[in-house]
Amino acid sequence: MTMPADLETDAARLRETTAKDLAADGVLPDPAWRAAVERVPRHQFVPGFYLPAAERDGNGLTLWEPVTAELDYGRWLTAAYSDSTLITQFDGDEPDWKQRAVRHGGAPTSSSTLPSLVVRMWADAEVTEGHTVLEIGTGTGYSTALACEHLGSADVTSIEVDPHRLEQAVSALYGCGYTPTLAVADGLHGYWPEASFDRIVAACSFRAVPPALLAQTRPGGKILLTLSGWLYGYARVLLTVAEDGTAEGRLLPGTVSFMSARTHAAPAFGNPAHWDAGLPEKARMTRHSPERITAATEAAFHLRFLAQSAVPDAQMTTAGEVVHLVDVVTGSATTLTAGDGGWAVREGGPVMLWERIERVLDAYDAAGAPSPETFTLHVYDGGQHLRHPQMPGLPLPRP
């Protein structure tokens, strides 16, 4: 398909509208970032992506519809300039946009993050002109392009673990005139050839702060990354690196999630029924409902992260009316079942998973339900601890 002659005019108009809307929402207080949003052609970075259909399939799976200019020019261009995350890959498989097909379910493994969050990440990292930056997770390259537009390509390094994704990003970036340093690399190890950096910003999440990132940040430099885990609890932290190589920083407010770094992704745990079969028959009534960490609320989002820090190797799934917690590292397992009198829990293995979570919930309530920004993460040789003046420290798993 030949693109319409007025594509660039349409795109420029939509970029201006996007920038105006983001500024009205308070996302673009810095004129330099607003100018970047107005100039970077996001549509060049997303020639194809998936959007969820209104209905699920017969098995309850999300139907993901392919969107390209050839299929529907208007829908493609409008979505490209919406403040939405656009899924570009599932399960690590690079799509063939010439052989487009609806997908049934799947785990997103790459995307173009919504513009408001992209700009917010750069702004929260306190990136300014003159800084050298390392971006972890090039993805489509759109975020990289915004950084290049603001800082200049010479000060931007971006790495991506997926060579196919990086190949697409390289084509789009160079096609738009941006020439940052790009490399296929695992964000867990940063990128030594270009170190040291004034700022490191990760567009993926980690179970703990990778030590290499501290070593590659100049003293006084900052690292912004999202912490996550196998319970899919998330928290963002802005760390400042000290002269001695340690780092400290507060959690940031809000509910933001990123896909896990592939080396930190959760392992498969098999059939929950198999784990359930080995549990003792005797149950106790819980002090807290699992809904405290599963509800679609900001408080539950924060609590899930704190709970996850207490049981870092646990995973959770719901089968029918039963909530399962499974720990593939220690072999521990827990089931929670709702009844007329509340929730009953059965636990087995060396770690009483729900008991540990309940102790965190007890401490959280006793501390008056403290918000994320009242917690400080300390990273030092030999450990990483999340601390609050009124709660016991919570260790993060080894990187």
Side-chain angles (χ1 to χ4, degrees):
M1 169 184 171
T2 302
M3 291 293 183
D6 55 357
L7 167 59
E8 295 307 321
T9 300
D10 291 343
R13 174 178 51 81
L14 289 170
R15 282 199 300 277
E16 185 177 350
T17 299
T18 298
K20 181 179 179 181
D21 290 344
L22 294 180
D25 291 339
V27 177
L28 294 172
D30 185 340
W33 286 117
R34 176 166 181 167
V37 171
E38 290 175 337
R39 291 171 186 158
V40 175
R42 191 186 187 202
H43 69 279
Q44 300 278 26
F45 296 87
V46 285
F49 48 86
Y50 293 94
L51 293 177
E55 303 292 334
R56 293 178 177 265
D57 70 7
N59 295 316
L61 297 174
T62 300
L63 288 172
W64 293 96
E65 299 174 339
V67 180
T68 66
E70 291 80 6
L71 288 171
D72 189 330
Y73 168 78
R75 187 186 189 196
W76 167 73
L77 193 61
T78 300
Y81 287 103
S82 66
D83 191 29
S84 305
T85 293
L86 306 174
I87 306 299
T88 54
Q89 187 192 77
F90 288 90
D91 303 314
D93 297 327
E94 193 64 21
D96 180 356
W97 296 112
K98 294 181 180 179
Q99 302 293 327
R100 301 170 293 266
V102 173
R103 289 192 62 100
H104 294 251
T109 48
S110 190
S111 66
S112 177
T113 304
L114 65 162
S116 61
L117 179 52
V118 169
V119 176
R120 178 179 168 189
M121 291 289 287
W122 289 123
D124 284 348
E126 301 173 7
V127 173
T128 62
E129 190 174 354
H131 281 158
T132 56
V133 303
L134 170 64
E135 176 189 42
I136 298 173
T138 313
T140 65
Y142 174 68
S143 174
T144 317
L146 290 174
C148 290
E149 185 67 46
H150 183 8
L151 305 175
S153 297
D155 287 333
V156 178
T157 298
S158 185
I159 59 175
E160 169 61 50
V161 71
D162 186 325
H164 298 294
R165 284 283 85 213
L166 189 66
E167 183 180 0
Q168 296 293 321
V170 167
S171 178
L173 284 162
Y174 288 2
C176 293
Y178 302 114
T179 56
T181 299
L182 300 167
V184 175
D186 188 336
L188 189 66
H189 306 293
Y191 197 61
W192 283 104
E194 294 296 316
S196 296
F197 302 98
D198 295 301
R199 297 290 186 271
I200 296 179
V201 177
C204 60
S205 62
F206 295 96
R207 298 184 71 205
V209 182
L213 302 189
L214 273 65
Q216 293 175 29
T217 303
R218 291 192 179 100
K222 296 179 185 294
I223 302 170
L224 177 67
L225 79 167
T226 301
L227 298 169
S228 67
W230 297 346
L231 285 184
Y232 300 104
Y234 297 89
R236 288 192 312 148
V237 63
L238 180 62
L239 295 166
T240 300
V241 178
E243 290 278 354
D244 62 1
T246 63
E248 182 178 313
R250 291 190 179 276
L251 300 189
L252 300 181
T255 55
V256 172
S257 60
F258 278 100
M259 298 173 191
S260 295
R262 296 191 186 183
T263 45
H264 280 193
F269 57 79
N271 187 335
H274 298 165
W275 294 83
D276 190 14
L279 293 176
E281 291 295 324
K282 186 176 181 180
R284 68 170 177 86
M285 301 309 293
T286 66
R287 301 192 301 278
H288 300 277
S289 160
E291 293 164 342
R292 289 204 64 186
I293 64 172
T294 61
T297 65
E298 193 162 328
F301 187 93
H302 174 45
L303 270 177
R304 185 183 287 225
F305 174 73
L306 298 180
Q308 173 182 272
S309 299
V311 288
D313 300 320
Q315 298 180 66
M316 182 166 57
T317 188
T318 300
E321 300 298 318
V322 180
V323 176
H324 296 265
L325 285 166
V326 172
D327 182 335
V328 301
V329 176
T330 66
S332 305
T334 294
T335 64
L336 298 112
T337 307
D340 293 338
W343 287 82
V345 58
R346 294 187 299 137
E347 301 191 83
V351 179
M352 299 294 102
L353 300 172
W354 191 248
E355 176 58 33
R356 281 198 180 182
I357 290 176
E358 287 197 309
R359 287 201 293 267
V360 171
L361 298 180
D362 289 342
Y364 173 81
D365 291 342
S371 59
E373 57 270 29
T374 62
F375 289 81
T376 302
L377 179 65
H378 300 262
V379 184
Y380 51 91
D381 185 25
Q384 303 185 19
H385 277 79
L386 189 65
R387 294 196 171 100
H388 185 276
Q390 295 173 281
M391 288 183 64
L394 292 168
L396 269 63
R398 288 283 180 177

